[in-house]
Amino acid sequence: MSMEHKHFLVIDNGGTNTKVIILDEVGNQLSVVSFPTDAVERRPGFREVNPQQMWRDIGKATNSSLMEAGLSGDQIDAVVPVGHGKGLYMLDKEGKPSMDCILSSDSRASDLADAFEARVGEIYPISHQHVMVMQFPVLLRWIKEHEPQKYASIGHVLSNKDFIRFMLTGEIWEEQGDASGNNLVNLETGEYDPQLFDFFGIPEMLPAMPQLVHATDQCGSICEQASKNTGIAVGTPVFAGMFDIDACAIATGVLDEDLFSVTAGTWNINVFPSKTKAAQSSGCMNSLFPTGDVLVEASSPTSAGNLDNMLRMLSKDGRQAIGYDELEKILSSSDARNSTSLFFPFLYGSNVNLGAEGALIGMRSSDSFAQIIRAVYEGVAFAHRQHVDQLLRVLKHKPTAIRMSGGACNSAAWVQMFADVLGITVETVAVKELGGLGGAICASVGLGVYRDFNEASAHMTKVAQQFTPNPEQSAIYDKKYQAYSAMLDVLDSGWNVLRTMQRELED
């Protein structure tokens, strides 16, 4: 390893917040500047961002992050974009970002996704993916049917972080891991497969897909326009990067089947790297992991983002009226017996039925604010347990531990709840911004500072805390989870009736 001091700047664009993080070659976080991802919801279920606004916001945050770290733009050795998976970022035929982009929390194409998933057996042997409402091909098919003029103007289709890299370099590439998570790549060949485009009825989009690259490939350098916007020196190397699921797994040292990676943020993401692909019957997704393995994934938009939304709903003026320190006291001073109602964290989508909506069941007139909020925390943990159980059925044994990331890690009491609900030891790592750390590890391997991800992780990832399950609490949560699962079974036949009613009232 070179002893020369290195600085890596990572742009981590999430569905809720976007962050610019600077780290060094041993994983020290030197600065982080965060701003809310400026989403526009022009209709229920539509979640979009304006690319020009996003680029302006990224520029301001990058300059601020450099200032916070006490660095000049020419002291950055590499830049790496990390972004939310799925969603849709498009350039027109002239290669310009002239269209609003679609976030991964968008649910406009739920009916299409339902119809394609009913036939998923036709393509699962190729992509080893189930169909999700926010995947490229589902959204492209929706645009083809509902906005044909826009569809005809599409010249290039990109993932979030590949779009950001285009803005940084002017070069158009698509990283393999992101593409393989979008139901467009043959997992045997690692390339786009025309059969998949035919299945989704979008064969004309195959030429719009950029050439595939690996996470640690250099894909250009900071161009003059990007330098003016961000303050980073012209010519600074830019690496392909990763979607945030991969970045968080790598940042937490989850590089083989010994550990699971659980991300509790906007999305409920649960993964482990494997030498073998999960079967269709598991309900899991498979994608190409930067180490060369397959990443087995069970996920849905049912995680910690629900808490912030509920806190706004329960306030008088739509603003969060209670601070996180006070919330931590509520959690720490109560336990699994305290709340008897069940919260279903489906405000952005569900992991049971595309028609399912958020719900609180079992409320009583005597319930306090603290009991309702505790039910929200528990409901998120139960939604994760549903996915972790899927992974356990694939792996057939428990991992040594779960490495956890995401906003929920800011609450030690919530992480302990996860350990108790899952019945598995949960570990957190020292660096809070794990998308940033994963990006920095990617840059360190790309630059040759370290030989591979294993060596980089050994130097840059540090376990901070360990939370072991409390058997008494776990036993209570087991009973609660049984009730949670039973209520979902009861509600299953009613969700679509509810959705039909909602649509009739909204039209």
Side-chain angles (χ1 to χ4, degrees):
M1 185 187 90
S2 167
M3 295 307 292
E4 184 185 348
H5 214 50
K6 300 288 183 186
H7 301 119
F8 309 124
L9 186 144
V10 180
I11 300 168
D12 181 4
N13 192 297
T16 304
N17 292 296
T18 299
K19 298 161 187 174
V20 177
I21 309 109
I22 299 175
L23 304 98
D24 65 18
E25 76 280 2
V26 292
N28 294 317
Q29 186 173 294
L30 307 178
S31 67
V32 57
V33 172
S34 175
F35 61 89
T37 302
D38 192 15
V40 178
E41 196 160 352
R42 58 187 167 99
R43 283 168 56 187
F46 285 52
R47 299 271 297 167
E48 299 172 336
V49 288
N50 178 277
Q52 284 78 26
Q53 183 62 47
M54 180 178 77
W55 182 233
R56 284 193 293 272
D57 290 341
I58 286 172
K60 288 177 192 170
T62 303
N63 279 285
S64 297
S65 196
L66 286 166
M67 189 178 299
E68 185 180 300
L71 297 170
S72 59
D74 59 3
Q75 289 178 288
I76 298 299
D77 294 281
V79 179
V80 177
V82 168
H84 69 79
K86 306 172 182 66
L88 194 62
Y89 290 72
M90 299 157 288
L91 304 175
D92 62 23
K93 292 282 201 293
E94 281 73 51
K96 293 188 173 134
S98 59
M99 295 169 264
D100 280 355
C101 308
I102 301 175
L103 290 166
S104 60
S105 51
D106 191 279
S107 60
R108 74 185 69 183
S110 56
D111 288 340
L112 274 172
D114 271 342
F116 285 127
E117 177 61 20
R119 299 168 45 213
V120 74
E122 298 174 31
I123 59 165
Y124 199 90
I126 303 169
S127 66
H128 297 273
Q129 293 253 307
H130 286 274
V131 178
M132 301 183 79
V133 66
M134 69 300 294
Q135 286 173 328
F136 278 10
V138 181
L139 289 167
L140 286 168
R141 177 62 182 271
W142 188 94
I143 295 170
K144 182 178 182 177
E145 291 185 4
H146 296 273
E147 298 176 352
Q149 285 184 308
K150 182 176 182 179
Y151 186 77
S153 72
I154 297 171
H156 306 275
V157 175
L158 291 162
S159 300
N160 168 269
K161 59 102 177 52
D162 300 288
F163 182 87
I164 291 170
R165 187 180 351 91
F166 160 74
M167 301 293 278
L168 293 168
T169 66
E171 297 189 19
I172 301 171
W173 307 87
E174 173 75 13
E175 184 265 331
Q176 190 182 51
D178 242 332
S180 70
N182 264 299
N183 236 326
L184 290 178
V185 169
N186 184 320
L187 253 63
E188 310 302 329
T189 66
E191 299 293 338
Y192 299 117
D193 194 312
Q195 296 173 84
L196 297 171
F197 289 79
D198 290 342
F199 173 81
F200 288 105
I202 53 165
E204 56 281 339
M205 277 295 136
L206 182 54
M209 301 308 299
Q211 184 177 330
L212 294 170
V213 291
H214 296 284
T216 54
D217 288 345
Q218 184 176 339
C219 298
S221 56
I222 296 292
C223 65
E224 191 169 335
Q225 182 185 7
S227 179
K228 287 177 183 174
N229 187 52
T230 63
I232 306 166
V234 172
T236 304
V238 181
F239 289 91
M242 298 174 275
F243 74 131
D244 50 14
I245 297 176
D246 287 353
C248 287
I250 284 170
T252 52
V254 177
L255 300 170
D256 56 38
E257 295 179 348
D258 285 345
L259 299 167
F260 283 3
S261 168
V262 168
T263 304
T266 305
W267 268 70
N268 169 346
I269 298 163
N270 314 269
V271 300
F272 72 93
S274 176
K275 300 292 182 192
T276 56
K277 304 176 191 72
Q280 179 183 335
S281 58
S282 70
C284 294
M285 308 283 277
N286 300 276
S287 60
L288 298 172
F289 197 50
T291 61
D293 284 346
V294 169
L295 194 71
V296 178
E297 172 195 347
S299 65
S300 58
T302 59
S303 194
N306 281 264
L307 173 65
D308 291 337
N309 215 318
M310 284 297 293
L311 289 167
R312 285 195 293 273
M313 288 181 184
L314 292 170
S315 68
K316 289 180 181 177
D317 57 2
R319 298 180 186 177
Q320 187 173 321
I322 184 170
Y324 288 109
D325 289 344
E326 194 172 343
L327 288 167
E328 191 72 357
K329 287 177 187 172
I330 288 173
L331 280 192
S332 301
S333 61
S334 59
D335 67 9
R337 294 180 183 279
N338 184 254
S339 176
T340 57
S341 54
L342 298 169
F343 176 69
F344 299 95
F346 304 154
L347 298 179
Y348 300 102
S350 89
N351 55 2
V352 292
N353 181 316
L354 284 173
E357 303 279 9
L360 263 167
I361 292 179
M363 292 177 66
R364 297 169 177 171
S365 61
S366 59
D367 282 348
S368 66
F369 174 82
Q371 288 171 309
I372 292 170
I373 286 299
R374 185 173 182 95
V376 172
Y377 279 95
E378 291 176 356
V380 170
F382 291 150
H384 275 271
R385 175 165 170 173
Q386 192 171 342
H387 286 317
V388 169
D389 284 351
Q390 285 179 276
L391 298 185
L392 292 174
R393 286 192 289 273
V394 173
L395 186 58
K396 297 184 171 56
H397 62 81
K398 284 188 178 183
T400 306
I402 285 170
R403 296 275 174 86
M404 192 165 160
S405 57
C409 289
N410 293 319
S411 165
W414 205 357
V415 179
Q416 182 62 54
M417 182 188 290
F418 268 80
D420 295 338
V421 168
L422 299 174
I424 301 170
T425 296
V426 175
E427 297 172 339
T428 58
V429 300
V431 170
K432 295 296 182 192
E433 300 301 338
L434 290 168
L437 179 57
I441 289 173
C442 178
S444 72
V445 175
L447 279 176
V449 176
Y450 300 109
R451 285 190 305 272
D452 55 28
F453 286 108
N454 282 293
E455 186 184 13
S457 180
H459 283 89
M460 298 176 74
T461 300
K462 303 170 186 73
V463 173
Q465 285 182 281
Q466 190 176 72
F467 300 79
T468 56
N470 178 320
E472 182 187 351
Q473 294 288 296
S474 291
I476 299 169
Y477 282 129
D478 284 346
K479 290 177 183 174
K480 282 190 165 186
Y481 184 67
Q482 286 174 13
Y484 177 93
S485 301
M487 289 307 304
L488 286 179
D489 289 341
V490 170
L491 291 166
D492 193 57
S493 61
W495 292 122
N496 290 331
V497 178
L498 174 66
R499 181 165 62 168
T500 300
M501 176 273 290
Q502 290 173 326
R503 285 182 171 175
E504 288 174 355
L505 293 179
E506 287 162 358
D507 287 345

